Amino acid sequence: MVELKTAESIEAMRAPGRVVARALAAVREAARVGAGLEDLDRVARGVLAEAGASSPFLGYRPEFAPVPFPAVICTSVNDAIVHGVPDGYRLRDGDLVSIDCGAELGGWVGDAAVSFTVGRPRPADLRLIETAEAALAAGVAAAVPGNRIGDIAHAIGTVCRSAGYGVPDGFGGHGIGRSMHEDPGVPNEGRPGRGMKLRPGMVLAIEPMLVAGGTDDYRCDGDGWTLRTVDGSRAAHAEHTVAITVDGPRILTAL
């Protein structure tokens, strides 16, 4: 069931959205060569605590997970696509890092992700990240009343495939509001004109995930959470929480 948010509810969702944006900015600033992933998680915890927000990630345990998620951010490095668990790894020169963060405040949830490089970047990584951001922008642009979920999926998939990248099978965005994962699902590839019709008041987490090697396959680490490319190629992830309004898409997780 899809909950249509009122204008007042959408405005209220800006509060956790801003917290997520501040947390991502703080983590990116702290993500230098030598920084530990657990250190980055502590940075994000500090931002959430200062805002009086809680984390929808911490303790989250969907059916596929053997253990609850132990952190407030996902830290996916290099060949990790999504759901990377912060551990003792320390960032190295040239690493590609994707950070996913959520916040709950006032009964509403925000969710966003960003990818970036640490130290001296590889040109191929910069292209991958730029394409992820372009795919996100295309998906957001398609999130207008009268379009359908398939139009968002098609916009994202077209950008990714045209650049020669893989799109992990079975993963994509989702509705969001009172909880982190709500209906409808938002695939990262699909046919235009198909799926649920978009209406003002719908709020979606739109999140393209790209694999540099061009494959759609992935494998799961022994931690039961981290998804990695099967060929060892690098991956990127970008995400925003977006409200569909009569005035066009409104990004709720922007600074």
Side-chain angles (χ1 to χ4, degrees):
M1 182 176 180
V2 176
E3 177 191 2
L4 297 180
K5 281 74 173 177
T6 64
E8 292 76 17
S9 295
I10 290 173
E11 184 59 36
M13 289 187 70
R14 272 294 282 150
R18 288 190 183 99
V19 175
V20 170
R22 291 199 297 270
L24 289 174
V27 169
R28 185 168 185 168
E29 175 65 24
R32 301 173 181 176
V33 174
L37 300 185
E38 291 172 335
D39 298 330
L40 301 184
D41 184 63
R42 282 189 283 271
V43 169
R45 288 177 189 247
V47 173
L48 266 63
E50 183 178 4
S54 60
S55 170
F57 288 17
L58 185 63
Y60 179 61
R61 187 180 182 182
E63 291 183 359
F64 69 79
V67 295
F69 196 76
V72 304
I73 58 173
C74 298
T75 54
S76 305
V77 181
N78 296 332
D79 65 330
I81 305 169
V82 287
H83 303 163
V85 178
D87 56 18
Y89 179 83
R90 294 196 171 274
L91 295 175
R92 301 169 184 171
D93 187 43
D95 277 346
L96 192 165
V97 184
S98 297
I99 303 293
D100 194 350
C101 182
E104 184 173 358
L105 186 64
W108 298 101
V109 178
D111 185 13
V114 63
S115 294
F116 53 87
T117 58
V118 175
R120 293 167 294 183
R122 300 181 182 183
D125 290 345
L126 295 180
R127 178 176 178 267
L128 180 66
I129 292 168
E130 289 170 359
T131 305
E133 293 172 348
L136 175 58
V140 171
V144 295
N147 270 358
R148 295 182 178 272
I149 291 292
D151 295 308
I152 298 176
H154 179 71
I156 292 171
T158 297
V159 172
C160 298
R161 296 298 189 188
S162 296
Y165 297 130
V167 179
D169 186 41
F171 283 86
H174 48 87
I176 185 170
R178 292 288 183 181
S179 61
M180 183 166 56
H181 291 117
E182 297 182 354
D183 291 332
V186 186
N188 285 330
E189 192 168 30
R191 297 177 62 183
R194 294 294 187 92
M196 183 178 292
K197 191 172 184 178
L198 303 180
R199 299 167 60 189
M202 294 175 68
V203 181
L204 308 173
I206 299 174
E207 52 177 323
M209 307 162 194
L210 288 67
V211 175
T215 178
D216 299 350
D217 297 328
Y218 56 86
R219 64 179 179 84
C220 188
D221 269 3
D223 61 20
W225 279 100
T226 307
L227 301 184
R228 295 190 184 275
T229 62
V230 294
D231 58 2
S233 64
R234 296 192 169 195
H237 178 203
E239 178 183 16
H240 269 310
T241 296
V242 181
I244 296 169
T245 78
V246 294
D247 298 318
R250 182 182 179 190
I251 298 175
L252 303 180
T253 44
L255 279 172

